[in-house]
Amino acid sequence: METAFRRLTQTLMYIGGAGLLFMMLHVTLDVVLKVAFNAPIQGTVEISSYYYMVAIVMLPMAFVELEDDQISVDLLFNLFPAPVQKVCLLLTLMATAAVLAVIAWRTGQDAIRAFRVGEVVMGSREIIVWPARCMLPLGFTLAAIAALLRAIMVIQGKTVTRNTTDEAAG
């Protein structure tokens, strides 16, 4: 199960990376067309804001959680004995999973509402945005699962944290 979940999160990370590439190309083309031909691509700001940026942030979220690549402050953690570290990790990961699950539920409610009303935004042109609303509960749900998976790994005695002292020294 861990291997399959890792593959899923890696795939979503690559899709998020592709979103970054597409946003760069889209915005660059928009600027070139605007400057060269006075013909910008309509809806570039809205598409970048509602699709590209959301995909860039939300799709890799579970991968970041699973790989312990999020920002963390561990001033005292490394000084604790191993059993205390394990308890702290379990409590933190369970709290993280709970908060992410609540956020996933709430954003899921928003996505359902957006789907029901066919949510659009008005800018230089009308852009359908309800499909982008689905990326939020997906990202938060998978990140909650990643936190739970890390908690299970802690219980199994596996290493789930990166040694930041080596990274800070290098």
Side-chain angles (χ1 to χ4, degrees):
M1 179 174 127
E2 181 185 339
T3 304
F5 190 73
R6 277 189 193 282
R7 284 191 187 132
L8 173 64
T9 61
Q10 285 174 338
T11 301
L12 290 174
M13 182 196 56
Y14 289 130
I15 293 170
L20 183 63
L21 180 64
F22 287 134
M23 182 173 71
M24 179 189 68
L25 294 172
H26 189 155
V27 170
T28 301
L29 183 61
D30 178 53
V31 170
V32 168
L33 290 174
K34 182 178 182 179
V35 170
F37 303 106
N38 196 25
I41 301 171
Q42 299 297 312
T44 296
V45 171
E46 292 81 8
I47 291 170
S48 294
S49 301
Y50 285 92
Y51 283 94
Y52 296 136
M53 289 184 189
V54 174
I56 291 165
V57 172
M58 297 310 299
L59 297 182
M61 187 179 279
F63 180 81
V64 170
E65 175 62 37
L66 194 59
E67 295 296 317
D68 192 36
D69 280 336
Q70 69 279 14
I71 296 171
S72 62
V73 178
D74 51 9
L75 295 173
L76 300 175
F77 181 80
N78 292 330
L79 302 175
F80 294 157
V84 175
Q85 285 183 352
K86 187 174 183 176
V87 169
C88 287
L89 275 172
L90 278 172
L91 291 174
T92 302
L93 290 168
M94 296 304 289
T96 298
V99 168
L100 288 169
V102 169
I103 296 171
W105 174 78
R106 184 63 189 112
T107 57
Q109 296 298 310
D110 290 340
I112 291 168
R113 180 204 49 81
F115 170 74
R116 286 185 180 151
V117 300
E119 186 175 18
V120 298
V121 292
M122 294 299 294
S124 54
R125 62 182 279 198
E126 185 178 278
I127 305 290
I128 299 169
V129 295
W130 66 262
R133 298 277 188 216
C134 298
M135 284 188 268
L136 277 79
L138 172 67
F140 287 124
T141 299
L142 291 175
I145 292 168
L148 286 175
L149 184 57
R150 286 181 67 210
I152 291 168
M153 292 166 66
V154 167
I155 293 168
Q156 293 173 341
K158 296 179 180 178
T159 302
V160 298
T161 58
R162 294 187 184 266
N163 188 351
T164 56
T165 55
D166 294 340
E167 293 173 10

